[in-house]
Amino acid sequence: MDIIKQLTSILDKNSLLYKKEEIIPYSRDASFFKGSLPLAVTIPNNVEELSRIMKLCYENEIPVYIRGGGTSLTGASVPFENSIVISMAKFDKILELDTISRYVVAEAGVRLENLNSYLDMFGYFYPPDPASSIASTVGGTISTNAGGLRAAMYGTTKEWVLGMEVVFPNGEITRFGGKVLKRSLGYDLTALMIGSEGTLAVITKAILKIAPKPRKIGRILAYYDEIEKVGEAVAKVKEEGITPMIAEFMDKIALESIKKTKGISYPENSNVMLILDIASEESSLDPLLERAYKIINSLNPIQSKVTTDPIEMERIYLARKGILSSLLVERESMNQYMIIGDIVVPPSKLAITLKEIQECNKNFYFKISLLGHIGDGNIHITIFTDPNDVELMKKTEEFLLETGKIALKHEGSVSAEHGIGLEKKKLLIEEFKAKNSLVNLEIMKQIKKVFDPKNILNRGKLLE
Amino acid sequence: MNKILEELKKEASKCINCGFCDSVCPTFSASGYKGFISARGRVNLANSLIKEIKNSSNFSLNISEAYYSCLGCYACFEVCPAGVNAGKVSELGRKLIIKYRKDQKKYLAELLVKIILKYKDPLGLSKKCAEWSQGIEIDEKSNIIFYTGHMYQLMGYSKKLEKFMLDNKLIFNLSLKFLNYFPFLNKFSSYFYDKEIEERMNNILKKIFNLLKTCNINLNYLKEKEPYPGTLLLDFGYEEEFEKYSNYVTKLFHENNVETIVTIDPHTLELFKFHYPKYAKDFNFNVVYYLDLLNVSNIKKFDKRVTYHEPCHFVRRLNYNLHLKILKEITEVIMPLHKGRNTLCCGGPDAMLYPEISENIACNRFNELERTGADYIITSCPVCFTNLYKSNKVFDLAEIFEYQ
Ligand SMILES: Cc1cc2nc3c(=O)[nH]c(=O)nc-3n(C[C@H](O)[C@H](O)[C@H](O)COP(=O)(O)OP(=O)(O)OC[C@H]3O[C@@H](n4cnc5c(N)ncnc54)[C@H](O)[C@@H]3O)c2cc1C
Ligand code: SF4
Ligand code: SF4
């Protein structure tokens, strides 16, 4: 209780919550991991308050859990006992826009969709677009190096962060990077923060690169009987020197769920759908689109079409973006939960990887749905399971481990964009082992010690 | 506890905790981002509550703030991938409080409920509510009734009452306990009377009445006999009281040979369409909204550019948007960022119990409407009008309607 007393000297009463009913909402994120109730939740109004909270916790060695949108799928933002949660919600302002230098400065709690509605007024956008962009924040997405549909062309969050302001566990405030596109200043501390999952320092604001909105986008939809053809089609498009902006695939279960929820039908005899977006300046789109469409058709799809109608395109984009929601209708009971795997392989290995996953599931008998970003080889295996069934969860973990191993066999990775959190701690070690690089883990631990010698930030996650 | 709890479980257990609803819940930001005054928090609390009750057949959690602060705007439901409606969760939460944990009830709510039951109006003002009708011609034989539900009239009071509450929180909270025993609201209410708003509201009522008359519709109006519809009883979770009250109102309509009820605001329309049939016996009237009776093609063009604040009750609960269609016919409409099914609440439902939250939401929405650069800000609900009335650009839709 003492800590709460001390926190009241930093925060007004509206920014400090500690009654049970007030803090219950902070005990979970979007994963199945159930955290504990923290001692208190703080909602600092500014960086000074944040810094004082950190200092206080540091001196008292109280674990601190940083919370952005709380949409993590890995347990990364779940707190444990005797801790303090810091909510970044009040860091909700967009501070500066420079369209000539092409950057925007936004506070850590700004939600990506709000950022993009703002940039849209000026003809710009911030490309990372996780399907959670309505709720996920600048700070959270940097901390997990979030990806999204547009990563095929624009890459993940790491390509878009120029600099940031951070608060260290001991309360010290500093700045990494800056507003310029080029820097050669020794170790890249900005890069170190990306994917750090709230274990090193608290991001309070970030300088983000922005891009002009493509003038025109064309969307190709194609349905195939075999998943290999999708991989082949995308590879051929790329060989022709065309980089798709979005290249997504989804299997029959996913298609069926979209049919049920969004009324978008698909040819009965198809097993997989490919969505391919080609973006360009207005004048040059049509020939590009035509070339890509020809390639797509050369692989004998069951059905294919091309559209530039904004309404139709939006419908398809939203259906893909909302696929996790649609898949909910495929749950066999309310107890079922969808756990979403996040492996990635070199795109050329996609077809074989997908086949092996299906083979592997023959030992587990899970209902699964396969979909993902074919442009960058990221496969999301959606597993229908029950977090309250201990035995089943053991099996789920095993299955995730096996699929991780398949990805590693093909020189891929166990986590493409969701991060490690609590969920993939074992898998992370597997990956370093497979790459004969266990020393990496040691380096990471040493880095963690430099930033956070008392291990107060996100204790119990990532490396522990 | 079973029925309410079952319903609560059905709604809340679907949640996958994605947090999407928090991003659109107006009370989240307006409360200074308190997680329990937000959509996901409300659903989380419900799930904890269910667990607690399962283990100990009662609950110790204090759920009052979380559920009484919910606006019932249903913005959360629009974005929820799992089909959870945190607004519904809150409605059930309030019913639980009233049924099983009266110690968590709100004094002001309790007071208003008592006054409604006694005076058939939340402020005991039935007489005053009929004043607007002086000089209008009523057809007492008609079985079509013009029903105000006191909604426009009450707005003349709510604004000042809200300001008083904001300025005198402590005194007000103390005096409420005292007032509980002396509900002489007539006198008390006159203190909060806002002449300007009242006149404006009375004129809107007259205008709507006359628009209907011009379409040759013979209307009866019950004047001071007209009861308040009981919206707040249900909103505050007083289900049993609402059941009794709605039966009283229904009986009164029957006694007056009513066949068709013409409503003029979304709250009453919704109550009569969806809730009365569930609670009141023989509620077999034809319920219509006034706009549906107007000769729309005859409305004159309007020469100002307008923006339209779509009331959540119309677009999300009633799925009704004739207002916008008509506006687009008669003038240039510039819509705000949040529109259609993503419209933003005006904050009105929180005005009584959470005036600060309400005011934050109203300012936020008003600024968004202002930013459109339109000459006029139009709305079609008296609650929205009053909460957004922050400049003389704000108008009720009926005020700009003229027949050719
Ligand atoms: C329906 C759904 C769809 C999703 N789709 C995608 C997708 O397509 N692509 C994708 O990449 N992810 C996706 N995700 C996962 C999730 O949205 C991302 O991981 C996102 O980046 C988390 O952002 P957040 O703001 O919610 O962070 P949180 O969940 O609050 O936190 C995530 C981590 O970052 C840390 N953190 C948060 N803010 C800060 C800060 N300011 N400073 C330091 N550390 C901080 C936390 O401590 C935690 O470790 C999805 C999630 C859901 C629920
Ligand atoms: S949007 Fe729906 S599923 Fe997501 S947290 Fe809110 S209620 Fe739960
Ligand atoms: S109904 Fe409105 S106020 Fe209530 S939880 Fe949903 S979004 Fe929030």
Side-chain angles (χ1 to χ4, degrees):
Chain A
M1 263 336 227
D2 194 36
I3 187 78
I4 292 172
K5 235 189 217 157
Q6 295 184 59
L7 283 167
T8 49
S9 68
I10 302 174
L11 295 158
D12 62 87
K13 69 176 189 337
N14 280 320
S15 309
L16 176 64
L17 315 175
Y18 49 84
K19 290 187 196 141
K20 191 173 174 192
E21 50 271 6
E22 296 177 345
I23 59 177
I24 281 175
Y26 297 86
S27 61
R28 285 192 56 195
D29 57 14
S31 71
F32 63 91
F33 291 100
K34 293 194 172 74
S36 313
L37 290 181
L39 294 171
V41 172
T42 60
I43 319 167
N45 292 286
N46 49 50
V47 65
E48 287 73 30
E49 283 181 5
L50 174 61
S51 155
R52 288 175 65 197
I53 299 166
M54 285 308 307
K55 190 160 180 262
L56 181 69
C57 293
Y58 187 76
E59 281 162 2
N60 292 282
E61 293 196 33
I62 294 173
V64 173
Y65 294 92
I66 311 296
R67 189 175 180 90
T71 69
S72 165
L73 290 168
T74 65
S77 35
V78 156
F80 292 134
E81 273 173 358
N82 296 320
S83 66
I84 298 295
V85 166
I86 299 182
S87 158
M88 299 304 291
K90 284 188 193 151
F91 290 75
D92 62 353
K93 282 160 222 62
I94 297 168
L95 303 171
E96 187 189 339
L97 171 69
D98 184 336
T99 51
I100 296 171
S101 316
R102 292 211 177 148
Y103 68 77
V104 64
V105 184
E107 290 187 323
V110 172
R111 299 187 195 265
L112 294 193
E113 200 152 289
N114 290 347
L115 179 64
N116 270 326
S117 314
Y118 171 79
L119 293 172
D120 190 61
M121 296 193 285
F122 305 92
Y124 285 81
F125 77 120
Y126 174 64
D129 64 338
S132 56
S133 59
I134 185 175
S136 50
T137 62
V138 164
T141 51
I142 293 175
S143 302
T144 57
N145 190 15
L149 306 196
R150 295 191 285 239
M153 181 180 239
Y154 295 99
T156 55
T157 303
K158 72 180 163 52
E159 315 293 340
W160 297 91
V161 184
L162 291 175
M164 60 183 73
E165 179 185 79
V166 304
V167 177
F168 285 116
N170 66 5
E172 197 174 331
I173 305 166
T174 189
R175 279 142 291 271
F176 298 151
K179 292 177 176 172
V180 287
L181 291 169
K182 290 169 143 184
R183 278 188 324 270
S184 183
L185 289 165
Y187 303 133
D188 189 346
L189 297 174
T190 309
L192 197 52
M193 288 300 295
I194 300 167
S196 63
E197 299 191 16
T199 61
L200 298 181
V202 190
I203 302 163
T204 54
K205 61 182 170 199
I207 306 154
L208 306 167
K209 276 199 279 185
I210 53 173
K213 282 171 62 184
R215 290 258 184 82
K216 212 171 168 191
I217 301 171
R219 187 156 289 162
I220 300 170
L221 277 191
Y223 299 88
Y224 294 94
D225 52 353
E226 285 174 61
I227 196 110
E228 284 90 339
K229 287 191 181 161
V230 173
E232 237 177 281
V234 176
K236 274 196 171 176
V237 169
K238 282 190 182 164
E239 262 172 40
E240 283 283 315
I242 305 169
T243 308
M245 184 165 90
I246 288 176
E248 295 291 312
F249 77 99
M250 58 180 87
D251 71 359
K252 202 171 177 106
I253 293 185
L255 285 172
E256 187 60 31
S257 74
I258 287 183
K259 186 174 154 189
K260 284 181 195 152
T261 55
K262 306 257 165 38
I264 301 176
S265 56
Y266 65 98
E268 282 291 308
N269 50 345
S270 64
N271 288 315
V272 57
M273 175 173 82
L274 168 69
I275 307 172
L276 205 71
D277 271 18
I278 308 289
S280 95
E281 294 299 304
E282 204 145 351
S283 54
S284 60
L285 178 72
D286 292 345
L288 263 186
L289 202 56
E290 227 165 79
R291 268 168 57 211
Y293 193 46
K294 240 189 208 157
I295 300 166
I296 296 296
N297 283 335
S298 71
L299 285 148
N300 303 322
I302 289 165
Q303 194 182 308
S304 69
K305 68 171 172 182
V306 62
T307 176
T308 50
D309 170 31
I311 296 173
E312 169 80 0
M313 294 213 331
E314 180 76 357
R315 212 163 80 97
I316 301 164
Y317 178 75
L318 291 180
R320 167 56 190 96
K321 214 172 164 188
I323 184 64
L324 289 184
S325 337
S326 295
L327 276 170
L328 286 171
V329 301
E330 295 294 327
R331 288 188 290 184
E332 278 146 10
S333 76
M334 277 304 152
N335 292 340
Q336 264 196 349
Y337 206 90
M338 289 157 27
I339 292 185
I340 300 144
D342 183 34
I343 58 170
V344 55
V345 292
S348 60
K349 304 280 173 54
L350 205 95
I352 174 87
T353 307
L354 288 167
K355 261 212 155 133
E356 286 182 20
I357 292 169
Q358 269 157 342
E359 273 307 306
C360 173
N361 191 32
K362 284 186 183 154
N363 301 325
F364 290 90
Y365 303 109
F366 279 113
K367 176 173 181 173
I368 60 170
S369 169
L370 295 173
L371 54 102
H373 318 296
I374 200 157
D376 51 32
N378 184 185
I379 307 165
H380 293 306
I381 312 169
T382 306
I383 310 164
F384 293 84
T385 182
D386 181 355
N388 297 316
D389 182 334
V390 182
E391 280 306 307
L392 197 64
M393 280 313 287
K394 254 195 208 153
K395 248 179 80 180
T396 313
E397 251 178 65
E398 260 174 63
F399 182 53
L400 279 171
L401 193 66
E402 289 308 312
T403 55
K405 283 181 182 165
I406 295 172
L408 293 171
K409 187 171 88 187
H410 297 296
E411 298 181 83
S413 174
V414 297
S415 172
E417 52 178 21
H418 295 168
I420 306 298
L422 288 165
E423 189 190 40
K424 303 197 196 80
K425 291 196 290 186
K426 260 195 209 153
L427 279 169
L428 180 70
I429 298 171
E430 280 301 320
E431 174 148 354
F432 288 143
K433 260 195 217 158
K435 291 179 172 161
N436 202 10
S437 312
L438 264 179
V439 64
N440 294 9
L441 206 60
E442 207 38 54
I443 294 172
M444 283 188 177
K445 283 183 180 165
Q446 293 300 328
I447 292 172
K448 164 82 174 161
K449 261 196 195 143
V450 173
F451 275 78
D452 184 16
K454 292 186 179 172
N455 188 19
I456 64 166
L457 272 177
N458 223 356
R459 191 182 282 178
K461 315 281 179 66
L462 191 64
L463 303 172
E464 291 174 55
Chain B
M1 205 167 291
N2 283 346
K3 197 175 146 252
I4 306 174
L5 207 63
E6 275 309 310
E7 272 184 71
L8 192 65
K9 195 170 167 191
K10 211 169 130 205
E11 195 68 39
S13 66
K14 290 183 282 189
C15 172
I16 56 163
N17 218 42
C18 67
F20 287 12
C21 52
D22 273 356
S23 70
V24 296
C25 177
T27 58
F28 189 34
S29 52
S31 67
Y33 293 109
K34 291 183 185 138
F36 69 105
I37 308 224
S38 188
R40 170 160 61 173
R42 292 177 178 122
V43 179
N44 292 157
L45 266 185
N47 282 320
S48 298
L49 202 68
I50 292 162
K51 231 185 260 157
E52 202 188 338
I53 295 173
K54 207 169 125 193
N55 294 335
S56 62
S57 74
N58 211 326
F59 62 93
S60 61
L61 287 171
N62 190 335
I63 55 174
S64 181
E65 303 297 304
Y67 295 140
Y68 272 109
S69 60
C70 171
L71 301 156
C73 71
Y74 292 4
C76 46
F77 182 53
E78 275 320 298
V79 299
C80 176
V84 182
N85 185 337
K88 279 243 164 75
V89 166
S90 304
E91 284 158 21
L92 293 163
R94 294 191 293 259
K95 283 184 190 167
L96 273 184
I97 292 174
I98 299 309
K99 235 181 162 135
Y100 303 99
R101 287 299 302 264
K102 279 233 168 180
D103 55 317
Q104 292 190 19
K105 73 188 175 196
K106 289 272 165 193
Y107 278 108
L108 179 56
E110 177 91 355
L111 174 69
L112 291 172
V113 167
K114 282 191 178 159
I115 298 166
I116 293 167
L117 294 176
K118 187 162 179 179
Y119 295 100
K120 319 300 177 218
D121 178 83
L123 298 177
L125 294 169
S126 287
K127 223 179 195 172
K128 190 112 183 88
C129 285
E131 276 178 8
W132 70 273
S133 65
Q134 276 165 16
I136 63 160
E137 217 177 286
I138 294 159
D139 177 356
E140 283 177 6
K141 291 212 178 68
S142 172
N143 48 27
I144 306 173
I145 192 177
F146 183 79
Y147 183 74
T148 71
H150 301 191
M151 292 298 282
Y152 277 91
Q153 298 93 314
L154 285 170
M155 295 303 127
Y157 295 83
S158 81
K159 204 75 208 163
K160 277 209 171 163
L161 192 62
E162 186 187 326
K163 189 174 174 332
F164 176 78
M165 284 193 289
L166 262 175
D167 296 343
N168 304 282
K169 258 183 160 173
L170 190 69
I171 307 174
F172 196 66
N173 277 338
L174 285 175
S175 62
L176 273 179
K177 287 189 191 180
F178 170 72
L179 268 165
N180 216 349
Y181 303 99
F182 303 98
F184 297 120
L185 247 274
N186 279 337
K187 275 213 175 98
F188 175 63
S189 298
S190 60
Y191 177 82
F192 303 111
Y193 166 63
D194 185 321
K195 192 149 179 53
E196 188 206 337
I197 300 230
E198 199 218 14
E199 269 174 18
R200 185 89 179 259
M201 293 292 149
N202 284 351
N203 285 335
I204 297 171
L205 289 169
K206 266 189 202 150
K207 182 75 180 279
I208 299 177
F209 192 88
N210 287 329
L211 284 168
L212 288 163
K213 289 281 279 192
T214 322
C215 297
N216 296 324
I217 300 164
N218 287 336
L219 294 167
N220 188 5
Y221 170 54
L222 296 180
K223 295 196 169 166
E224 50 212 59
K225 261 193 310 184
E226 181 192 85
Y228 169 74
T231 324
L232 285 177
L233 301 178
L234 201 58
D235 281 356
F236 290 152
Y238 291 73
E239 209 177 9
E240 276 172 25
E241 286 80 355
F242 178 73
E243 185 171 356
K244 264 190 224 145
Y245 189 84
S246 61
N247 276 296
Y248 159 80
V249 173
T250 307
K251 203 164 146 236
L252 190 104
F253 285 155
H254 281 301
E255 282 164 8
N256 285 278
N257 300 320
V258 173
E259 281 178 14
T260 297
I261 305 169
V262 182
T263 59
I264 59 171
D265 76 274
H267 296 266
T268 310
L269 179 62
E270 190 203 333
L271 201 69
F272 282 168
K273 275 210 174 269
F274 302 144
H275 302 290
Y276 264 67
K278 268 198 258 164
Y279 288 91
K281 246 196 243 149
D282 300 327
F283 189 83
N284 45 15
F285 309 104
N286 177 26
V287 177
V288 291
Y289 178 56
Y290 88 92
L291 212 53
D292 290 320
L293 301 175
L294 296 189
N295 187 352
V296 178
S297 57
N298 251 352
I299 293 170
K300 247 198 222 161
K301 293 262 183 246
F302 187 62
D303 66 351
K304 296 271 191 269
R305 292 178 328 150
V306 306
T307 184
Y308 179 52
H309 165 78
E310 293 161 286
C312 357
H313 278 255
F314 271 130
V315 289
R316 283 195 285 260
R317 291 193 179 208
L318 289 154
N319 209 2
Y320 186 94
N321 61 3
L322 184 61
H323 312 90
L324 186 58
K325 275 192 205 138
I326 302 176
L327 272 175
K328 283 183 173 165
E329 292 280 317
I330 63 166
T331 185
E332 183 190 341
V333 186
I334 318 161
M335 289 306 279
L337 184 63
H338 293 90
K339 56 179 190 238
R341 294 193 70 88
N342 293 321
T343 188
L344 272 187
C345 181
C346 67
D350 270 2
M352 285 281 181
L353 299 183
Y354 297 89
E356 273 159 292
I357 291 181
S358 170
E359 189 55 16
N360 285 345
I361 296 171
C363 286
N364 182 26
R365 179 57 168 172
F366 176 77
N367 290 339
E368 191 178 306
L369 291 160
E370 269 260 288
R371 276 198 296 273
T372 60
D375 307 318
Y376 278 43
I377 296 171
I378 309 290
T379 185
S380 51
C381 162
V383 180
C384 299
F385 175 92
T386 318
N387 236 41
L388 296 172
Y389 186 53
K390 304 199 177 300
S391 85
N392 47 18
K393 273 186 182 178
V394 182
F395 284 82
D396 186 275
L397 184 74
E399 290 182 289
I400 68 160
F401 278 180
E402 295 296 342
Y403 277 122
Q404 281 171 11

